[in-house]
Amino acid sequence: MSSEDITVVHLMRHGEVHNPDGVLYGRRPGYHLSDLGRKMADRVAEHLAGRDITHVVASPLERAQETAEPIAGAHGLEPATDERLIEAGNVFEGKTFGVGDGALKKPGNWKYLTNPFRPSWGEPYIEQVVRMMAALGAARDAARGHEAVAVSHQLPIWIVRSFAERRRLWHDPRKRQCTLASLTSFTFHGDKIISVGYSEPARDLVPSHLLAGAKPVKGKAKAFGA
């Protein structure tokens, strides 16, 4: 197997966002990295500094663009933008939806909670798979024989990983393995995915209640899918 046949695309989740009100911000503009989030981005840039990164691309949302900047800068690159890497659509955008806030008890929300398999509250999982696979393919093509970083968001990353690993797409959000500033790395032989890896270069900077698999804490909005 020639090295020219191998390409790695690291799907990265952005760093922590400044969100003191615990809003499920989704695709809304105006949500930027917190100071801690910028440290996370810098940590991942340091982690990847010695890698053969030739392409960096990000979701159009500010938090993803800001996460991509230090990584691209470390390799003398300008980050590109791919709309297909954007956060999943969600009808609860703009609302607080943390543990213990009563959102699930409000009758007005029940109509959106009827089908967890699609899901009924937002962008269908299969649509996320289609756009994310296309974004992965574009990043792979831009970095043939090298490595790329594509900054996206928790839910789309988890869904495309689940698809690649042949798991069901519907799931318990609390069990997603996609911590802030984590890397879900797809290795391609030619156009075929041959392995998927996962790492958390900034794990020590992530608040404990936001780590993958952590038990939700009342009063601390986890903002699943961010």
Side-chain angles (χ1 to χ4, degrees):
M1 188 183 296
S2 159
S3 61
E4 294 181 357
D5 297 329
I6 301 298
T7 308
V8 180
V9 180
H10 304 281
L11 271 184
M12 180 181 176
R13 185 182 173 195
H14 61 78
E16 185 191 61
V17 175
H18 179 66
N19 182 23
D21 296 325
V23 172
L24 198 159
Y25 35 80
R27 294 179 173 178
R28 291 190 164 207
Y31 285 89
H32 299 266
L33 292 183
S34 65
D35 290 342
L36 180 59
R38 293 182 183 278
K39 291 179 181 178
M40 292 176 183
D42 289 340
R43 172 69 63 79
V44 178
E46 292 170 6
H47 174 76
L48 295 173
R51 303 296 291 260
D52 184 23
I53 307 293
T54 61
H55 181 66
V56 177
V57 62
S59 154
L61 296 173
E62 293 98 332
R63 57 193 184 270
Q65 294 281 322
E66 292 164 358
T67 299
E69 286 170 2
I71 298 166
H75 295 274
L77 301 169
E78 287 291 330
T81 300
D82 190 331
E83 296 279 348
R84 294 169 295 194
L85 293 169
I86 199 166
E87 173 63 290
N90 192 310
V91 298
F92 295 111
E93 272 185 26
K95 300 180 181 180
T96 55
F97 210 72
V99 176
D101 66 4
L104 295 177
K105 297 179 181 179
K106 297 176 182 177
N109 290 336
W110 293 349
K111 62 185 176 182
Y112 300 118
L113 303 172
T114 57
N115 185 355
F117 307 106
R118 184 178 187 266
S120 52
W121 54 82
E123 181 184 11
Y125 292 139
I126 191 61
E127 292 182 12
Q128 294 179 54
V129 168
V130 170
R131 65 176 172 86
M132 290 296 289
M133 285 298 293
L136 267 177
R140 175 203 64 214
D141 291 345
R144 287 274 182 186
H146 305 279
E147 300 184 33
V149 176
V151 184
S152 186
H153 307 268
Q154 187 194 62
L155 179 54
I157 293 172
W158 180 249
I159 289 300
V160 76
R161 176 182 173 183
S162 296
F163 175 78
E165 295 182 331
R166 300 186 178 183
R167 288 194 304 274
R168 68 190 185 199
L169 301 183
W170 59 273
H171 61 283
D172 181 343
R174 296 169 296 181
K175 296 181 179 180
R176 293 176 192 156
Q177 189 182 42
C178 191
T179 294
L180 290 166
S182 61
L183 298 172
T184 301
S185 303
F186 295 77
T187 300
F188 291 84
H189 177 215
D191 291 347
K192 181 180 179 181
I193 297 171
I194 58 172
S195 69
V196 181
Y198 177 78
S199 60
E200 298 176 353
R203 182 181 176 86
D204 62 304
L205 298 177
V206 179
S208 60
H209 72 284
L210 295 178
L211 288 168
K215 183 178 180 180
V217 177
K218 187 173 182 178
K220 291 184 180 292
K222 193 161 183 175
F224 291 120

